[in-house]
Amino acid sequence: MTLKANDPSRKSWVTVEPNSDFPIQNLPFGVFRVSGGDARIGVAIGEYVLDLAAVQEAGYFNIGQLPAGIFKNQYLNPFMELGKAITRDVRERVSQLLLDSNDELASAPGVYDKFLLKQADVEMLMPVFVRDYTDFYSSREHATNVGTMFRGKDNALMPNWLHLPVGYHGRASSIVVSGTPTKRPKGQTKNDDEEQPSFGPTKRLDFELEMAFITSQATAMGESIAADEAENYIFGMVLFNDWSARDIQKWEYVPLGPFLGKNFSSVVSPWVVTMDALEPFRVAGPEQRPEPLPYLKTSGKKNIDIDLEVGIQPDGGEEKVVCHSNFKHMYWNINQQLAHHTVNGCNIGVGDMYASGTISGPEESAFGSMLEIAWKGTKPVQMPDGTERRFIHDGDTVIMRGHCEKDGLRIGFGEVRSKVLPAE
């Protein structure tokens, strides 16, 4: 499918810096408000937010089946639920309105007061209402690293890992938008040399570099989604920092898996980049051996080339980038994840979020968590201020960024950041 909005030669009459994540070929959707006002849906272009509610009120949308007031919403859910045909038409129309050869909107009186607002002047809100959340474990490099640490190199991957996308159901209520601080969680921990567990704040707070996709269509219980049809149900993607308390998790996770070590906070970027905008950056995934079962087979290029990085910034100090990874390394792609999620008849909903699991690459510089970067605390990271990090300290801000780049075109996600506050 050829989308005019993806044309790499397109330019906007809105000034967009060359290194911006938000050129006219991106147009991600988000939810914002101004000075405590009502929430509204907007699109990012350069350093601005295009207020889609104002655009619709002014009569610039001539799209059938687009309900009045659809962009005056606290979440993207009602808009996404309209279906890809309509949401795609909206993105195409916005691209047309922002095109440098079209003065429909550019010549409107007060365009930079009524329609275009500086991102720095608005408050970005949680983009979707997350009804349900699933966290996968789909990076072979990450699973191998963690398995090697705890079970040895010969037993790094569990017997099922190469046969199915491993995942667990996480906590939707504690997914928050970028900029929300994270309080250091408390819980039970037990060191190997201790007879009894103790209670207190985690000493091993960690980030997990992840991406997440969001579904825009619901299914009924008993229905399954075919792997090659999965993207018909996926609206777009966000950056995802899945905080983890490693010491709490280690003590609690056998036999039922993550609980208090994971459910205290996950932080997402505010702009949802559509699957349409990501289309030019598709690549083939890693070879899968053994061959997946038929319901997990996909055709074509299903992985996406997204450069990712993580920085740690001490309170009042200089940021240090500690990870450079890429989403293309994922062993199980998002189509396979959704197909496996629903193969048993599990119903999905609009706004449900599905995280990738930690995204690690083959080199040490691409490890996507402090557990791996500092190798269980044995290789501390030296910071610019002379301190070192085995895990994340109080006052640290963890910043994740991601973008695609090809033939001079850059499509980005912005960033997701969260500052760690002391435990109460």
Side-chain angles (χ1 to χ4, degrees):
M1 178 181 295
T2 301
L3 300 173
K4 292 180 180 179
N6 287 356
D7 183 348
S9 68
R10 285 199 163 193
K11 304 292 182 184
S12 176
W13 49 267
V14 179
T15 300
V16 178
E17 297 297 327
N19 63 343
S20 172
D21 279 351
F22 308 120
I24 193 172
Q25 291 84 3
N26 191 350
L27 305 180
F29 292 86
V31 179
F32 73 97
R33 65 183 173 194
V34 180
S35 302
D38 293 335
R40 303 163 79 86
I41 294 174
V43 159
I45 177 72
E47 61 180 345
Y48 294 92
V49 178
L50 178 66
D51 185 341
L52 296 186
V55 172
Q56 185 181 31
E57 286 178 338
Y60 288 102
F61 283 124
N62 53 354
I63 298 171
Q65 299 179 300
L66 188 63
I70 189 66
F71 300 114
K72 292 182 177 180
N73 264 300
Q74 184 178 355
Y75 300 109
L76 290 173
N77 298 46
F79 172 64
M80 296 189 300
E81 196 171 9
L82 295 175
K84 279 209 170 183
I86 296 176
T87 60
R88 180 174 288 140
D89 283 349
V90 168
R91 179 171 173 266
E92 291 283 314
R93 176 59 175 156
V94 169
S95 178
Q96 184 183 39
L97 288 170
L98 295 174
L99 196 60
D100 59 0
S101 59
N102 184 2
D103 66 355
E104 284 182 84
L105 189 61
S107 62
V111 63
Y112 282 97
D113 295 320
K114 186 176 181 181
F115 301 108
L116 285 165
L117 309 169
K118 284 282 187 73
Q119 290 190 37
D121 295 335
V122 306
E123 178 188 1
M124 297 304 299
L125 306 176
M126 188 68 189
V128 297
F129 175 76
V130 184
R131 187 197 66 148
D132 266 323
Y133 157 54
T134 298
D135 188 24
F136 286 97
Y137 189 56
S138 292
S139 163
R140 182 170 186 169
E141 289 81 3
H142 173 68
T144 300
N145 288 338
V146 174
T148 300
M149 286 182 215
F150 293 103
R151 292 186 299 275
K153 187 175 182 180
D154 293 339
N155 297 301
L157 291 180
M158 297 298 285
N160 64 348
W161 201 94
L162 293 173
H163 294 273
L164 56 84
V166 174
Y168 79 100
H169 292 288
R171 184 72 182 178
S173 65
S174 54
I175 300 176
V176 294
V177 74
S178 177
T180 306
T182 297
K183 292 183 180 178
R184 182 174 294 272
K186 303 183 294 289
Q188 287 191 27
T189 61
K190 182 183 177 299
N191 293 329
D192 293 338
D193 59 355
E194 295 174 337
E195 289 188 9
Q196 297 295 326
S198 58
F199 176 81
T202 177
K203 297 180 177 66
R204 296 185 175 185
L205 182 62
D206 199 358
F207 62 80
E208 293 190 358
L209 171 61
E210 306 191 23
M211 300 291 301
F213 67 87
I214 300 164
T215 48
S216 56
Q217 301 297 306
T219 60
M221 287 181 65
E223 291 183 14
S224 300
I225 297 173
D228 271 332
E229 296 177 3
E231 285 177 38
N232 295 333
Y233 296 82
I234 300 173
F235 179 75
M237 301 190 72
V238 292
L239 296 168
F240 194 95
N241 179 5
D242 193 20
W243 287 107
S244 181
R246 299 294 184 184
D247 45 2
I248 295 174
Q249 182 180 357
K250 180 184 176 183
W251 172 234
E252 73 177 359
Y253 84 103
V254 177
L256 292 181
F259 186 37
L260 300 185
K262 298 286 288 182
N263 69 2
F264 58 94
S265 176
S266 298
V267 193
V268 302
S269 53
W271 294 109
V272 183
V273 178
T274 63
M275 298 309 296
D276 284 346
L278 295 172
E279 185 68 28
F281 305 96
R282 292 185 175 278
V283 294
E287 182 182 12
Q288 295 183 325
R289 287 287 180 267
E291 188 174 309
L293 292 173
Y295 79 94
L296 287 171
K297 290 183 179 179
T298 56
S299 59
K301 297 177 179 179
K302 299 302 182 186
N303 279 34
I304 306 171
D305 187 353
I306 306 174
D307 283 317
L308 301 164
E309 71 172 32
V310 184
I312 301 173
Q313 183 177 22
D315 197 7
E318 180 183 348
E319 177 188 347
K320 176 167 183 172
V321 174
V322 297
C323 165
H324 289 282
S325 192
N326 196 298
F327 190 59
K328 69 183 179 182
H329 296 309
M330 300 304 291
Y331 187 86
W332 296 106
N333 62 55
I334 63 176
N335 295 59
Q336 292 171 320
Q337 289 171 348
L338 191 57
H340 183 67
H341 198 302
T342 62
V343 73
N344 67 341
C346 173
N347 54 316
I348 66 169
V350 176
D352 286 0
M353 194 168 284
Y354 313 77
S356 60
T358 304
I359 305 164
S360 294
E363 302 86 17
E364 289 188 16
S365 60
F367 291 173
S369 67
M370 287 301 292
L371 179 66
E372 298 164 89
I373 295 168
W375 204 257
K376 219 166 65 166
T378 63
K379 299 178 180 180
V381 174
Q382 301 302 312
M383 300 295 290
D385 62 3
T387 62
E388 61 182 27
R389 294 294 183 276
R390 289 175 170 85
F391 292 96
I392 304 302
H393 292 191
D394 290 346
D396 287 350
T397 297
V398 172
I399 309 151
M400 296 179 177
R401 305 178 181 92
H403 73 276
C404 309
E405 194 158 2
K406 180 181 178 181
D407 299 330
L409 176 62
R410 177 188 175 108
I411 300 293
F413 290 79
E415 64 179 28
V416 54
R417 62 170 59 217
S418 183
K419 183 176 183 178
V420 177
L421 303 181
E424 292 185 349

